[in-house]
């Protein structure tokens, strides 16, 4: 079992894996188009040349990155693949010199074993402004926010729409 950077031909399998964990709310659903657009954020877990898991690292800036879409195909669970994915993504974050890694999960005990601590989601405004505000569970979120590293002391301001920049509003 090993990890590697995802390639565009892996997008369909990544989509299958994420989709299999979306109906119960374990993972947020992602369209195939979204995965294709963001395939460079993903790594895959392989065994005998077959993709059995995936995960992604979303970079907000040097102050914050998010681990997301961690999944291992059910028949291959409990064999260390999830931990291997997380370790690989944390290594990628270190390569980019990110000072804090966050994630949102319903399995906090798994991530606590890997050095993540619980925090308040309000401590992560970049994540809240990008994803959570549009989530149907925004006001009744049952995920636990977790971080590893130093909590950001600032947030990247949301970008103005292109039309506002052109009009200098």
């Amino acid at each position: 079992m090993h990890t590697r950077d995802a390639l565009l031909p892996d997008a369909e399998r990544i989509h299958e894996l994420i989709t299999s964990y979306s109906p119960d709310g374990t993972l947020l659903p992602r369209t195939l188009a979204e995965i294709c657009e963001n395939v460079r954020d993903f790594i895959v877990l392989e065994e005998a040349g077959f993709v059995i898991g995936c995960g992604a690292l979303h970079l907000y800036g040097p102050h914050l990155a998010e681990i997301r879409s961690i999944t291992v195909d059910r028949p291959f669970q409990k064999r260390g693949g999830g931990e291997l994915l997380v370790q690989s993504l944390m290594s990628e974050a270190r390569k980019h010199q990110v000072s804090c890694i966050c994630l949102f999960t319903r399995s906090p005990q798994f991530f606590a074993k890997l050095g993540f601590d619980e925090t308040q989601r309000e401590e992560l405004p970049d994540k809240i402004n990008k994803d959570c505000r549009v989530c149907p569970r925004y006001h009744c979120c049952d995920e636990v926010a977790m971080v590893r590293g130093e909590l950001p002391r600032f947030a990247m301001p949301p970008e103005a729409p292109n039309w506002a920049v052109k009009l200098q509003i």
Side-chain angles (χ1 to χ4, degrees):
M1 201 177 323
H2 69 277
T3 61
R4 65 166 173 81
D5 291 341
L7 301 170
L8 196 51
D10 298 318
E12 282 191 47
R13 178 64 179 142
I14 292 169
H15 182 253
E16 288 172 11
L17 287 164
I18 292 172
T19 300
S20 73
Y21 286 94
S22 297
D24 68 355
T26 300
L27 293 179
L28 290 175
R30 305 268 183 216
T31 66
L32 181 57
E34 284 177 293
I35 293 166
C36 288
E37 288 174 16
N38 297 291
V39 75
R40 289 174 291 212
D41 290 350
F42 281 88
I43 61 169
V44 294
L45 179 68
E46 276 190 331
E47 184 167 273
F50 185 67
V51 174
I52 61 168
C54 66
L57 184 72
H58 180 77
L59 299 170
Y60 291 95
H63 66 295
L64 184 66
E66 179 190 11
I67 289 178
R68 51 170 62 176
S69 302
I70 294 286
T71 182
V72 176
D73 204 357
R74 285 176 180 87
F76 298 94
Q77 289 184 353
K78 307 289 185 201
R79 294 177 40 205
E83 185 173 339
L84 189 57
L85 284 164
V86 173
Q87 296 290 353
S88 294
L89 292 168
M90 288 192 311
S91 176
E92 185 72 13
R94 281 191 299 277
K95 183 174 90 177
H96 287 283
Q97 301 176 18
V98 174
S99 58
C100 182
I101 304 169
C102 74
L103 56 88
F104 283 58
T105 184
R106 289 186 189 85
S107 303
Q109 58 282 18
F110 171 78
F111 292 100
K113 289 187 304 186
L114 299 174
F116 285 84
D117 297 309
E118 290 187 26
T119 191
Q120 298 300 309
R121 66 183 186 154
E122 294 76 20
E123 298 285 344
L124 302 162
D126 294 281
K127 165 67 175 169
I128 302 303
N129 289 329
K130 181 180 183 305
D131 294 319
C132 297
R133 285 189 335 188
V134 296
C135 178
R137 293 188 184 151
Y138 179 69
H139 295 289
C140 57
C141 182
D142 62 347
E143 291 189 318
V144 176
M146 300 188 81
V147 296
R148 183 167 169 168
E150 184 178 333
L151 270 171
R153 290 186 219 134
F154 67 95
M156 298 292 276
E159 289 187 26
N162 285 341
W163 60 267
V165 173
K166 289 179 183 172
L167 295 174
Q168 297 185 1
I169 293 177

